[in-house]
Amino acid sequence: MICLSTTATDPAGALEQLRGNIEEIELLELRADFFAAGLAERPAGGGRAPPAEKQARSAAETLQRFAEDARRVWAERHPDRGPLAVILTIRRERDGGRYRGEEALRLRILERAVRQGGYAYLDLEEDLLGSEHGRAVTAAAERAGVRIIRSFHAPNGVPPDLARGAGNTAARPGEIPKIAVSANGSADLLEILEAGERLRQPRIVIAMGPYGVAARILSPLLGSYLCYCSAAGGEIAAPGHLTPAELNRLYRYRRLGERTAVYAVIGDPVMHSRSPEFHNEVFRAQGLNAVYLPLQIDDLRLFTDLSRRLRLQGVSVTIPHKSAIRKVLSGAEPAVEAIAACNTALRRPDGSWYGYNSDLAGFLAPLAGEFGRADDGGPALEGVRCTVIGAGGAARAAVYGLLARGAEVLILNRTPERAEALAAGLAGAAGAPRPRTARLERAALGEIAEYNRLLVQTTSIGMEPDEHSDPLEFYEFTGEEVAYDIVYTPPETLWLRRARRAGCRVIGGRAMFEAQAASQSALFLAQLRGEQLPARAPDGGNPLGARPG
Ligand code: NAP
């Protein structure tokens, strides 16, 4: 179930957040600790606070009115869906919330609010069972038929006693145990998931922060009762919250279940990745019960454990794990070792992982449009003389791909030793002659003139925010070259614009990016359909163009 946690600073704002998300949620949590005034704060200006009883009465009335208004708004929109279940929470500052008032007053407000009605659930911290007043609030909630969420919070990271059962034992029969712990890395995430598994059902298990986002999305598969979210455009109630719309539209949360196949992009950082948009859209368009998540991993040694726990079937691999992931693989297409990089891995039925490099297929695919196709379907580059600018990771895939297609290559790099090392490393790898190398400077013009049928730009020069730089400013295009810049932000670099204006045929980095994603997608789809897995990353075509029916 999707639960919207309000973060507005007054009841009217919280109702607005409900209205704005009313189609996307099943539950509402009023985070009353976000209310700036009217609860239990001392009055501004240092005046005297009214007596506690009066404060508690007035705050409880505010909370009751809110619950009534929220249920009315819900009933008007969803007359057939039964009353809105609202969770009442006043989160203390030490638990990651905003409430800084006195504890006795907080408990008095909660006790009054549940007695007055309107709330289906009350979030009460587990330590309250140790105090008389805390037990009295618990008893009041039970008498009023309000279900207690017995919560344990560790906003600064996994506490040493989590594994020994911190927060696991306090919940009483009928209560819903909840742990919300910050995951500061992949080891924390694993520990939180393990601790969560020991809680009885129904339970709520939350790993806060970017390392826990994948587990939040997968809450229906991991046996968590609900997934808390924050409204778009407002503050977020806790680190790692998604919006209800993201959960429903991007991740199709309501359809996730035991039979959902799980895919992810792994990297660190990875939350900025656009890959979930692409792959989830393909799964949706193809009518497949599969989801694709961002999974931030800082320690790749934990990949196998995490993949088992999160039931991963396949992953895209991005920075900084493209090389290190090879240790996890029990097999890979030849390009993975030659390029020393794997960007796609699939789990085989025996649980082992097989690696591919779809960057290579993605790099080569747009070239077929310019040079035609050879008999095997790949771009016809036999004997084509090319210059590759750059000698980094992307250049390695490009040079390998060109050599594998029979092209002759000149590598230009600012640091010529790196170009040399790349040439030596790939010599013979694809059965092709050793590439030539030169320093990236005007003195190389003569060599470039010999290798200028295709020019491939793989450095980060010209990439935002460096859009005004040109790695080959000393070179005048003849207009006969094919110019290919793999940088895709901006869509057309200064260098590529210069080539186009000189009359060259040009290929932008977006074409490579889309082609590598399509190739990766073809691998995921083959696996999902139970087809024989290809030996190499295929030319992916257009998976969105192949909509069924
Ligand atoms: P990398 O391994 O760090 O290599 C960077 C390359 O750029 C090296 O050759 C480096 O030369 C050169 N370079 C950097 N700054 C320079 C400067 N100021 N002057 C001269 N040379 C400079 O990076 P990478 O992974 O290969 O990525 C390179 C670019 O490709 C990035 O912009 C990336 O976004 C893009 N890319 C695009 C796609 C796609 O799908 N379209 C895929 C992968 C990568 P030195 O050796 O002298 O340092």
Side-chain angles (χ1 to χ4, degrees), residues 395-450:
R396 197 174 174 87
V399 173
Y400 176 83
L402 293 171
L403 294 178
R405 298 304 308 166
E408 293 175 34
V409 179
L410 165 69
I411 307 170
L412 296 181
N413 199 41
R414 173 179 62 180
T415 314
E417 298 77 21
R418 278 187 88 189
E420 258 308 297
L422 176 55
L426 289 181
R434 191 181 199 282
R436 284 173 65 174
T437 65
R439 187 190 293 274
L440 176 60
E441 60 184 0
R442 179 176 291 275
L445 275 176
E447 280 170 292
I448 300 172
E450 285 179 53

Side-chain angles (χ1 to χ4, degrees), residues 371 380-388 402 406-410 433 436 446-456 481-482:
F371 291 91
L381 296 171
E382 190 70 43
V384 172
R385 292 190 139 200
C386 332
T387 294
V388 173
L402 293 171
E408 293 175 34
V409 179
L410 165 69
R436 284 173 65 174
E447 280 170 292
I448 300 172
E450 285 179 53
Y451 286 79
N452 69 353
R453 178 70 192 92
L454 167 65
L455 301 178
V456 181
E481 305 91 335
V482 173

Side-chain angles (χ1 to χ4, degrees), residues 390-394 413-415 418 458-461 463 486 488 509 513:
N413 199 41
R414 173 179 62 180
T415 314
R418 278 187 88 189
T458 74
T459 74
S460 44
I461 304 173
M463 184 171 89
I486 72 162
Y488 56 89
F513 181 77

Side-chain angles (χ1 to χ4, degrees), residues 459-464 466-471 487 489-490 493-494:
T459 74
S460 44
I461 304 173
M463 184 171 89
E464 285 170 2
D466 183 29
E467 297 115 297
H468 303 295
S469 302
D470 180 337
V487 168
T489 51
T493 59
L494 177 59

